[in-house]
Amino acid sequence: MQSVKKRGNKIIILLLLSVFVIGIIGIGIYPFDNRSLQMKIVTTKGTYVQEIGSEDIAGGTCQLVELTGIEDAKIKKVRFYGEMKSILLKEVPYGEFTNYIDRVENGEIIWDDGFVEVTGEKNIRMYMKQDYIQILQKMSASFFQERLILGELWGVIVIMIAVGIMMIQERKTENNWNNHGPIFEIKKFCGDIREYWQYIIYAAKTDLKAEVADSYLNRLWWLLEPFFNMIVYVVVFGNIMGGNVENYATFIFSALLMWNFFSKTINYSVKSVRNNKDIITKVYIPKFVILLSNMVLNLFKLLFSMTVLVVMILIFRVHIGVNLLWFILSYIVMMLLSFGLGMIFMHFGVYVDDLSYAIGILINMLMFLSGIFYDVMTTLPDPLNSLMLCLNPVAMLIDTMRNALLYNTASNLPLVGVWFLISVILCGIGVHIVYKNENSYVKIV
């Protein structure tokens, strides 16, 4: 009976893998029609949106750009979006955009520092060159980013179907501690959170006090570390990569806060069991408690450091709007991602002592690939920028957070949803691995 069940599980897994592969191939080769585009012209007086139909793009009749309701427009940049309105396809700086202008009807173009002013009548009409039309046609025909997102979503759906099948097959035995099915582990995890939550908070507070016990500057170090890192990046990279970035200091500092939380959590997780062997060898605690207490510690530091970010926002008069919601959501997804990856690295860190060195190298590489001191979409060339934004969740979450905070713009929303689901799956995988093997950790450490 057991062998028949195992054979059935293997058949189901093979079928799911086949469905996944067929779906990815289908998404890759399916001949999508040319799409409509949305152009957002960002000026000092606001953002003007123009819908560009796919038929006009294909026929080459999309050369007219019209700004209504104003007599002059100081253009800072122009952004293009596809069917997924929050996914940026291309950003064109003001200098490049004005090179595509053939003529301004009843007006003229005036260059200035940081923007270019287009003056005219109440409704400014700009006629564009053929190069501009070719750029639109190229963007309209390309579905590269959308295919990546659809491929990721398809993979998540297949995994969720597999988890659903596992839940159906799971035996409903309450006291069987060898049962490591999803329903059993979810109940156990929630019960352990309720039971050990006070200990998690207590351990985090104790570590916070111990960290600054012998320090003259005390908690000020939590402000000074990201602040001085920000100054170094502004000085080193400001002239190279910050020329087209508005409010570059806040641009970097906001990203450093999110990055520090992620990197410190991951680095700690690898050796968390070994570093806490005095506790886990004497009393039983669920091993995820160790990681969660460290995450609470890092969260407190993050909130303390955000006081500097708030001051910078006030000094530079950054407009805060309703899209700040996506700032909060991006942090929630980042915390889920950190916990899921941290649990997986916690397990393998028990058995592979050199893993901490490998993770340290990968973290350093990831830092330079995540757009902390540059804008991924405007600095990297096509299609590398799209690949980086779709496949690197840290880069995507940093970009989403910064757009919501600094520019009051909702960005990458489909990707945020996909990586939220992936992060939840990683959390489930990490909890499952640790629950299944935690009894053997005491013998190894």
Side-chain angles (χ1 to χ4, degrees):
M1 184 70 181
Q2 192 71 18
S3 61
V4 174
K5 185 177 179 181
K6 288 182 177 179
R7 194 179 301 113
N9 289 338
K10 289 182 179 179
I11 293 173
I12 291 173
I13 292 172
L14 288 174
L15 286 173
L16 288 172
L17 285 174
S18 301
V19 169
F20 172 76
V21 172
I22 292 171
I24 293 295
I25 294 174
I27 292 170
I29 65 176
Y30 184 80
F32 292 101
D33 295 330
N34 288 357
R35 61 192 162 171
S36 301
L37 297 176
Q38 183 186 76
M39 178 174 63
K40 291 184 179 181
I41 302 177
V42 181
T43 73
T44 54
K45 292 185 177 180
T47 301
Y48 298 86
V49 179
Q50 179 172 331
E51 301 291 341
I52 308 173
S54 58
E55 294 180 358
D56 293 330
I57 296 173
T61 58
C62 52
Q63 74 276 16
L64 175 62
V65 176
E66 191 168 8
L67 300 178
T68 60
I70 56 174
E71 295 181 359
D72 62 89
K74 295 178 180 179
I75 299 173
K76 298 164 67 176
K77 57 188 173 183
V78 179
R79 293 185 149 203
F80 294 95
Y81 299 84
E83 299 294 341
M84 298 182 182
K85 300 300 183 184
S86 65
I87 301 295
L88 178 65
L89 299 178
K90 188 177 181 64
E91 181 176 301
V92 180
Y94 66 92
E96 181 181 343
F97 181 74
T98 52
N99 289 332
Y100 298 134
I101 299 176
D102 187 31
R103 72 181 191 278
V104 179
E105 195 173 79
N106 299 325
E108 60 178 343
I109 301 174
I110 303 172
W111 287 86
D112 204 335
D113 184 25
F115 53 82
V116 63
E117 184 175 3
V118 181
T119 62
E121 296 182 348
K122 189 79 171 179
N123 297 330
I124 299 175
R125 298 166 64 89
M126 297 180 290
Y127 290 89
M128 313 303 290
K129 298 178 182 178
Q130 185 64 32
D131 293 346
Y132 168 81
I133 299 174
Q134 291 174 354
I135 290 175
L136 295 187
Q137 291 173 342
K138 183 178 179 181
M139 283 191 290
S140 178
S142 173
F143 285 83
F144 183 70
Q145 284 171 301
E146 283 81 353
R147 290 181 192 273
L148 284 174
I149 295 171
L150 290 173
E152 290 179 355
L153 182 60
W154 179 251
V156 170
I157 291 172
V158 172
I159 293 174
M160 293 179 70
I161 292 173
V163 172
I165 293 173
M166 291 173 62
M167 287 183 172
I168 294 173
Q169 293 180 340
E170 183 179 342
R171 294 179 298 172
K172 304 296 191 301
T173 53
E174 296 181 0
N175 298 319
N176 182 8
W177 288 88
N178 291 321
N179 184 353
H180 293 286
I183 297 175
F184 177 85
E185 288 181 347
I186 290 172
K187 290 181 179 179
K188 188 173 187 298
F189 179 78
C190 294
D192 287 340
I193 287 286
R194 288 194 298 268
E195 183 176 353
Y196 289 93
W197 183 247
Q198 290 184 343
Y199 172 79
I200 292 171
I201 301 298
Y202 173 78
K205 289 181 177 179
T206 302
D207 290 340
L208 280 169
K209 292 178 181 178
E211 194 170 300
V212 296
D214 299 324
S215 172
Y216 288 108
L217 295 180
N218 208 290
R219 293 177 175 84
L220 282 177
W221 284 115
W222 304 338
L223 302 177
L224 294 176
E225 180 188 359
F227 183 74
F228 282 115
N229 284 338
M230 178 267 293
I231 291 176
V232 171
Y233 289 132
V234 169
V235 172
V236 175
F237 298 104
N239 292 328
I240 301 174
M241 299 180 179
N244 294 324
V245 177
E246 185 179 357
N247 196 356
Y248 190 59
T250 312
F251 178 88
I252 288 184
F253 189 78
S254 60
L256 280 174
L257 294 183
M258 177 176 276
W259 169 256
N260 284 342
F261 179 89
F262 175 79
S263 62
K264 288 179 179 179
T265 300
I266 298 301
N267 280 321
Y268 176 84
S269 68
V270 183
K271 283 201 169 186
S272 56
V273 173
R274 292 181 178 271
N275 291 340
N276 291 274
K277 64 180 180 181
D278 292 338
I279 297 176
I280 66 173
T281 54
K282 295 176 182 178
V283 295
Y284 171 77
I285 58 171
K287 305 307 175 284
F288 71 83
V289 168
I290 300 171
L291 180 60
L292 273 183
S293 65
N294 179 258
M295 291 182 67
V296 172
L297 181 149
N298 291 330
L299 179 60
F300 183 85
K301 290 181 182 179
L302 172 68
L303 294 175
F304 192 78
S305 300
M306 276 191 176
T307 56
V308 176
L309 182 61
V310 172
V311 172
M312 295 177 74
I313 288 173
L314 294 175
I315 291 174
F316 294 109
R317 298 181 181 179
V318 176
H319 174 67
I320 302 296
V322 294
N323 285 311
L324 191 65
L325 171 67
W326 301 110
F327 172 89
I328 299 170
L329 183 60
S330 61
Y331 263 102
I332 292 173
V333 177
M334 175 64 77
M335 291 175 187
L336 287 173
L337 180 66
S338 302
F339 180 73
L341 291 176
M343 290 293 286
I344 295 171
F345 291 142
M346 172 192 285
H347 167 71
F348 289 104
V350 175
Y351 299 96
V352 184
D353 194 35
D354 292 342
L355 184 62
S356 60
Y357 300 106
I359 294 299
I361 294 171
L362 291 174
I363 287 291
N364 286 333
M365 292 174 58
L366 187 62
M367 178 181 179
F368 290 94
L369 295 174
S370 298
I372 293 174
F373 43 84
Y374 61 91
D375 190 313
V376 171
M377 284 303 296
T378 59
T379 304
L380 300 180
D382 295 326
L384 182 59
N385 52 6
S386 299
L387 281 170
M388 194 63 62
L389 207 63
C390 293
L391 303 181
N392 182 353
V394 180
M396 183 274 298
L397 291 171
I398 287 176
D399 185 75
T400 303
M401 176 272 299
R402 282 195 296 214
N403 274 289
L405 178 67
L406 303 180
Y407 311 121
N408 192 28
T409 301
S411 62
N412 309 317
L413 301 190
L415 283 170
V416 173
V418 168
W419 279 103
F420 172 78
L421 295 175
I422 293 175
S423 298
V424 171
I425 292 170
L426 288 173
C427 289
I429 293 172
V431 169
H432 168 73
I433 293 174
V434 172
Y435 268 151
K436 190 173 182 180
N437 298 278
E438 63 180 354
N439 291 332
S440 63
Y441 295 164
V442 179
K443 302 175 183 178
I444 298 172
V445 299

